[in-house]
Amino acid sequence: EEGYKNYHLTQVSTYSTYIKKMLSNCKVALATAASFLLFMCIIDPYVVLSKNVSADWLIAARAKATTNRCDGTNEQLYQQCLARGGDLTDTNSTSTQQNEERVKSLTFPLLTSPHDPDGIPHRWLVMAKNNRQAALQAYHATLDWRKQHGVDTILAKPHIKFDQVKSIFPHYFPGRDSAGNIVFVQRPGRLRLDLKHELNVSTDEMHHHVVYVLEYCWNILSPDPNSTMTNILDLKDVSFSMFHNQELMSFVKDIVSTSSHHYPTRSYKTFVINAPRWFGALFNLLKPLLRESTREKIEIHSGGKSQDDALLRLLGNSFTKELMSAYKDDDDKTSEGPPNQVELGVNSIPEKQMRDFCVEGLDYAGMKMLDVR
């Protein structure tokens, strides 16, 4: 009898431990799924007026001497570069004037709405469901955030770690969808934290890059104040164990917080592709908690022909071979992509233009891009 009692207590303890562990995993999964769902719907930047970027500073960049360049490897020299707008070679009035003109042409402030009595941009009113007090508070919080982090002039500042962050966290603009919306692809399953550590890239620098890309998107790539975005969230290689990585979750939460508070209502559609089965199950649990307008924007696909057909209908000629469920990247060079595919995907024209823009800014500042390896 005593032996049976001890055995029974052991079994209860074992099951109790198992249940606690299972509940803990469920909490982590639900929290992470919620973060991903927010991440899908948050690329919704602010209202800005269309501005033409002057090419004068780009011409001046090509003519600059390459002596005394700052390559970012010396921290003190790098800080001096930033303090002078990246220019260590000239401090005369002519170069100062050119730098001021360049900064002016690449300054994109968050503008007030001339049609609103309080100047609240329409997007903040939509986000706050026409609650004017809440919208005004959120708008002022965004203005403070932009001032604190120098977001208005972020595109005028040198970005030496552009290539490095792109290698750590794969994301790109393949083109536009069938309705003319810019398409943004993100692949969180390919995020390389090991490379992040190897290259000594901080989470703040990762965050800075994401803001840089969003500012480029809505001010240069697609500056119409009514522009929206189609988000493709590729969950290939996403594993359940990633949800236990605090560094990864911290990065996702930072981006979610920044985007949801300071870049509202720019989403047109969100496609989650190559989703694991458990992700679909978690989404179905969370789906009732989402607004109907949000639910209508989200589609979940788990690969196969139905996913490819849906992407082809949505993206048209911007449907690239690396998004095909049967495509194996470098492991399968024989895979054929969708028809009419010319300079798309990670090598698309928008991607090349954005990198050229970044490189021209570095040339003007007398700096160079840091290598990935």
Side-chain angles (χ1 to χ4, degrees), residues 92-195:
N92 57 46
S93 59
T94 301
S95 64
T96 300
Q97 183 178 359
Q98 289 177 341
N99 187 62
E100 291 176 351
E101 291 176 353
R102 173 180 170 272
V103 171
K104 183 178 180 180
S105 70
L106 293 175
T107 297
F108 299 94
L110 181 58
L111 303 178
T112 60
S113 172
H115 308 293
D116 186 270
D118 297 315
I120 307 173
H122 179 66
R123 297 187 187 283
W124 271 259
L125 289 169
V126 173
M127 178 183 65
K129 299 181 179 180
N130 289 319
N131 182 325
R132 298 192 60 81
Q133 182 177 359
L136 186 61
Q137 290 177 349
Y139 174 57
H140 284 165
T142 295
L143 291 176
D144 292 341
W145 170 78
R146 294 180 68 86
K147 181 178 180 180
Q148 179 183 354
H149 297 282
V151 177
D152 289 0
T153 57
I154 193 172
L155 296 179
K157 300 171 185 175
H159 183 10
I160 62 174
K161 296 191 176 183
F162 180 90
D163 284 350
Q164 291 185 344
V165 179
K166 293 277 285 185
S167 297
I168 295 168
F169 177 40
H171 57 279
Y172 60 92
F173 297 105
R176 295 182 180 271
D177 64 17
S178 300
N181 302 290
I182 195 68
V183 179
F184 189 45
V185 177
Q186 301 164 87
R187 312 185 84 176
R190 302 291 180 89
L191 197 149
R192 295 275 311 279
L193 291 180
D194 59 331
L195 184 60

Side-chain angles (χ1 to χ4, degrees), residues 283-354:
F283 175 76
N284 288 332
L285 289 175
L286 295 169
K287 193 173 181 179
L289 303 177
L290 302 175
R291 294 194 304 269
E292 182 179 356
S293 59
T294 300
R295 292 198 301 266
E296 292 174 351
K297 294 180 179 181
I298 300 175
E299 289 190 27
I300 310 290
H301 296 275
S302 298
K305 187 177 184 300
S306 61
Q307 172 179 295
D308 292 345
D309 290 343
L311 283 172
L312 183 59
R313 287 193 301 270
L314 177 68
L315 303 183
N317 289 336
S318 292
F319 179 31
T320 62
K321 63 183 180 181
E322 61 262 28
L323 293 179
M324 293 183 68
S325 59
Y327 185 69
K328 298 182 181 180
D329 296 335
D330 294 336
D331 297 331
D332 184 6
K333 297 297 185 180
T334 63
S335 298
E336 294 183 0
N340 303 320
Q341 180 172 238
V342 180
E343 296 298 316
L344 295 174
V346 294
N347 296 315
S348 68
I349 292 177
E351 279 295 307
K352 289 183 177 180
Q353 289 176 337
M354 180 167 62

